[in-house]
Amino acid sequence: MPTYRAFLLRCWSAQAPSADPPLTWRFSLEEVGPERHPLGFASLEALVAYLRSELSDGEQFRSIQPCELLAEQEARPSRGDNL
């Protein structure tokens, strides 16, 4: 399994013409690479469930909270730091 994956996420509101229903969000996710296949999601929950299933094979992601992942990423040197 790859240790690094990149995704392009698009979010947009899909509110009906009447203002009565609450704002509804839709999502599109594409894995960055030579063959892009966008996937559509009707809810944030569906998007998160998909990402969890995609990343669940890596033990490192199972018990780490999102804020811990962010802190870990910030600690890594960026590509510009290596120049």
Side-chain angles (χ1 to χ4, degrees), residues 6-42:
F7 296 90
L8 173 63
L9 173 64
R10 293 183 177 95
C11 312
W12 66 95
S13 62
Q15 189 168 7
S18 69
D20 291 339
L23 185 65
T24 302
W25 286 93
R26 300 292 185 238
F27 306 92
S28 171
L29 186 71
E30 294 179 52
E31 188 158 7
V32 176
E35 295 182 30
R36 291 183 149 180
H37 302 286
L39 300 171
F41 300 92

Side-chain angles (χ1 to χ4, degrees), residues 16-72:
S18 69
D20 291 339
L23 185 65
T24 302
W25 286 93
R26 300 292 185 238
F27 306 92
S28 171
L29 186 71
E30 294 179 52
E31 188 158 7
V32 176
E35 295 182 30
R36 291 183 149 180
H37 302 286
L39 300 171
F41 300 92
S43 70
L44 179 60
E45 292 78 13
L47 170 66
V48 171
Y50 174 80
L51 287 171
R52 283 184 191 271
S53 71
E54 282 294 300
L55 301 175
S56 66
D57 290 337
E59 287 292 325
Q60 62 193 19
F61 295 110
R62 289 193 179 152
S63 63
I64 297 176
Q65 297 299 315
C67 59
E68 292 178 64
L69 283 174
L70 180 59
E72 181 181 310

